[in-house]
Every structure is written in structure tokens, then in C-alpha cells.
Amino acid sequence: MENIIILGTGIAGLTAAIYAARANLSPLLISGPEDGGQLTLTTEVENFPGFPQGVLGPELIDLCKKQAERFGSRFKVDIATEFTQMNSGFGLTLMSGEKIQTKSLIVATGASARWLGIPSEEKYKGRGVTTCATCDGALYKGKEVIVIGGGDSAMEESLFLTKFAIKVMVIHRKDSFRASKIMQERFFKNPKCSVMWDSVVEEVLGDGKKVTGVKLKDVKTGKMTELRCDGVFLAIGHIPNTSFLKGKLEMDENGYLKADSYSHTNIPGVFAAGDVQDRRFKQAITAAGSGCMAAMEAEKWLAGQE
Ligand code: NDP
């Protein structure tokens, strides 16, 4: 039986691991499908304290991982598919078939990119439709791309894509961005960037092999137009990774785990940290902070069980 299992190796899970390992709990981390979490898919992180010149997302994760390892954290690349509550402790079934038991659990499974959910998007996934500019941007050298969304991710992805694409057009369903002022300023200052307001993508167009454009609808007038492009980048937010916990842990209508201000879920001994329980801030630093809190509370809870 493990003392503590941490689901997720994003910044929340890794911070929890640093604290749990330093409390001599020898935590076991299960990576999930996106080892390292969302920061591994981003470029420069400019708002994490301690890095005045910024730090690359993957580098930050690598540093946290080394720090967690230094104090005795253990890592397993696998995915939790089932959670059960036992008489004493909890059971987890992993995708590999392995079953593990633990006295306490920190769920830091994060959130994954949201998709539009239209059939043509499915058809061209990986053939011009993607959710990761950092991963796929270089394939669009000299091409024209669109980015869907109006938040900081849409700004960040657009600016990154200007390194490769000749034209980056943001398609946004409203007539203003919700992105931070500084990101908007950078976006509007870049001559390669432009925006089409009040528009939604109704269909991704292609030649059967790759994307050739999109069909757009003006949400105010209902008018349909076609726009030529080579790539479609989605930046429309994220969905918490909690499907395997449905019916077991309390969550809100959007699937975010419900945790109190001390990271406790509705089941004693199960804690939640990071984006999986954060409807509001979704920042690297808040995820790290909640990982710290969850580990300290788990340590206290385990001590109380002895
Ligand atoms: P957000 O939830 O902030 O924004 C999502 C955007 O997508 C919104 O503009 C939303 O429109 C739009 N959207 C949602 N669903 C759809 C849909 N089905 N069709 C069309 N458009 C849709 O997500 P982000 O990923 O941008 O940001 C998440 C968090 O991470 C934020 O707190 C952000 O500040 C932070 N972040 C910070 C960065 C930085 O500081 N450098 C970089 C990236 C993210 P609407 O506005 O109409 O709701």
C-alpha cells in the first residue's frame, strides 16, 4: 500500500510531490496521457515568480521534476482509469492493467484542450486542425493559418505562429477579447495578426487530405462566408480531466472537482490540486500553490490516521 499517490505530473502534481517527498512520504506520481501537463505545450512563461527573463514551459516542468526526484518522488508513465474507495484507503486501476492501493490520493490531472465538436474538425484532426501551436507551428512556414478563441491562449498561440506563418487570423465569437491587455497589445502590434469578430467556424473545409479553409458564420447577421487557410489552431479553453471520477468524487456541472479551500474533496483522504479544481485562475503559480496545499493537508491527514 502506497502512502500517497499523485495523479498528474503537471506543475500542481510536481509541487505536491516536492512537498510530500520532503515529508518522507515517498510519493508515487502517475503521469496520465500528457506527461508534464499543459506547460510542456507552451513556450515562454513570463509570469512565474523567480524568472525575470521568463522561462520555457517545458524547462520549468523539467526543473520541478528534478526537484521532486531529488527528495525521493517516484514516477510511473501510465493512466488511471478507475478509482475505488476501499475499507481502508483507495484502489486505482491503470491503463496497463496494474492495480495499486494507496492510503491517500492527490488528484492533479489538470485539463485538456477543448475541441469545437463538429464532424469536419474530427476529419482533419492532425491534418491541419490542431490544439498545439508549439507542437505543430513549424509545419506552417510560409502558410496562412487561423486561430479560434479570444483568451490569452489565442493571443499566445497567434504570436508564436507569426514566427512561421505569413498570416495569422483570429476568429472570435464576440467583438472583444478576454485576453490580458499586454497580450492584446502585442497581438494588435504584430503586422501578421488580424481578427475577424463575431464569427464562428461552422465547418472545416479540405481536399480530403488536408485543410484548405473554413466556412464561417457571422453570429450577428447569420451571413456565411468562406476563408482560405492552411491550418486551424484551436485555443478555446480546456476541459478538466475527471471523466474516470464521475459518480465517485463531487464535481460541478463542467466537471471541475469540488474541493474546499484546503484542497479536500468530498472523500476524506482524497485531495485535489491544480486546474482540475480551478474554474477561475488557471495559472501555473496558482496550480503550484494548490499542489503545495494538497500535499501538506495529505500529510496531516495521514498523520491523523496513525
Ligand atoms: P479562456 O477560457 O480564457 O478563453 C477561451 C476562449 O475561447 C474565450 O475567448 C471563449 O470565448 C472562446 N471559446 C470557448 N468555447 C468556444 C467555442 N466552442 N467556440 C468558439 N470560441 C470558444 O482559455 P485560455 O486557454 O485562453 O486561458 C485559460 C487561462 O490560462 C486564463 O486564465 C489565461 O489567462 C491563462 N493563460 C495565460 C497565459 C499568459 O499569461 N501568458 C497564456 C495562456 C493562458 P468567450 O470569450 O466568448 O467566452
Side-chain angles (χ1 to χ4, degrees):
M1 167 97 67
E2 297 285 342
N3 280 318
I4 181 161
I5 287 182
I6 299 169
L7 297 180
T9 50
I11 190 127
L14 290 173
T15 308
I18 292 167
Y19 276 78
R22 283 173 56 80
N24 271 340
L25 292 171
S26 183
L28 174 66
L29 289 91
I30 314 286
S31 66
E34 289 170 20
D35 195 5
Q38 286 180 53
L39 282 173
T40 59
L41 305 176
T42 190
T43 49
E44 201 80 43
V45 180
E46 292 180 336
N47 49 12
F48 201 89
F51 297 92
Q53 305 306 322
V55 59
L56 292 174
E59 192 187 339
L60 180 58
I61 287 298
D62 199 43
L63 290 169
C64 293
K65 198 167 180 183
K66 288 199 175 99
Q67 200 171 348
E69 270 168 344
R70 182 179 152 209
F71 298 109
S73 302
R74 294 162 299 135
F75 291 83
K76 196 182 269 289
V77 177
D78 213 328
I79 299 170
T81 54
E82 215 181 304
F83 163 83
T84 45
Q85 202 173 354
M86 305 183 310
N87 283 339
S88 73
F90 310 99
L92 287 167
T93 305
L94 307 183
M95 193 164 259
S96 61
E98 190 181 349
K99 289 181 190 296
I100 333 178
Q101 296 183 355
T102 181
K103 293 179 195 163
S104 68
L105 180 71
I106 295 178
V107 183
T109 47
S112 296
R114 174 180 282 128
W115 296 81
L116 290 173
I118 52 176
S120 52
E121 165 192 71
E122 192 60 40
K123 184 172 174 189
Y124 289 104
K125 239 181 215 180
R127 292 193 283 167
V129 181
T130 169
T131 57
C132 182
T134 326
C135 321
D136 300 331
L139 302 171
Y140 295 87
K141 204 164 190 298
K143 305 260 168 89
E144 295 181 18
V145 298
I146 66 158
V147 175
I148 307 173
D152 280 326
S153 295
M155 303 295 100
E156 191 174 74
E157 304 257 297
S158 299
L159 290 164
F160 180 73
L161 287 165
T162 58
K163 291 185 188 182
F164 311 101
I166 48 167
K167 200 171 152 195
V168 180
M169 165 88 79
V170 165
I171 310 292
H172 186 37
R173 62 185 180 184
K174 289 198 181 127
D175 60 5
S176 62
F177 289 139
R178 69 159 73 181
S180 55
K181 285 277 170 298
I182 186 167
M183 297 297 277
Q184 290 198 41
E185 270 169 30
R186 284 183 201 164
F187 174 86
F188 286 117
K189 225 189 258 174
N190 193 306
K192 287 186 178 178
C193 293
S194 57
V195 57
M196 190 176 283
W197 301 117
D198 299 315
S199 300
V200 291
V201 170
E202 288 276 291
E203 193 184 338
V204 178
L205 305 171
D207 60 9
K209 287 189 187 139
K210 56 178 181 13
V211 168
T212 56
V214 285
K215 200 177 268 183
L216 297 169
K217 182 177 164 188
D218 185 309
V219 292
K220 286 194 171 147
T221 63
K223 194 177 160 213
M224 304 289 292
T225 48
E226 283 187 14
L227 178 71
R228 213 208 71 74
C229 67
D230 304 291
V232 176
F233 288 81
L234 297 170
I236 57 171
H238 290 80
I239 297 173
N241 297 318
T242 52
S243 54
F244 72 107
L245 297 167
K246 277 214 169 84
K248 312 260 170 95
L249 288 181
E250 269 180 22
M251 47 187 86
D252 71 10
E253 65 284 2
N254 295 315
Y256 286 98
L257 290 186
K258 284 190 180 172
D260 67 12
S261 45
Y262 296 111
S263 311
H264 296 244
T265 67
N266 60 306
I267 299 182
V270 181
F271 304 84
D275 282 7
V276 77
Q277 51 83 58
D278 179 6
R279 299 149 204 81
R280 194 178 177 99
F281 299 107
K282 301 169 188 168
Q283 301 297 301
I285 188 67
T286 49
S290 71
C292 157
M293 284 158 59
M296 291 178 76
E297 286 297 296
E299 182 192 353
K300 209 192 282 175
W301 186 84
L302 282 166
Q305 300 301 300
E306 278 166 10

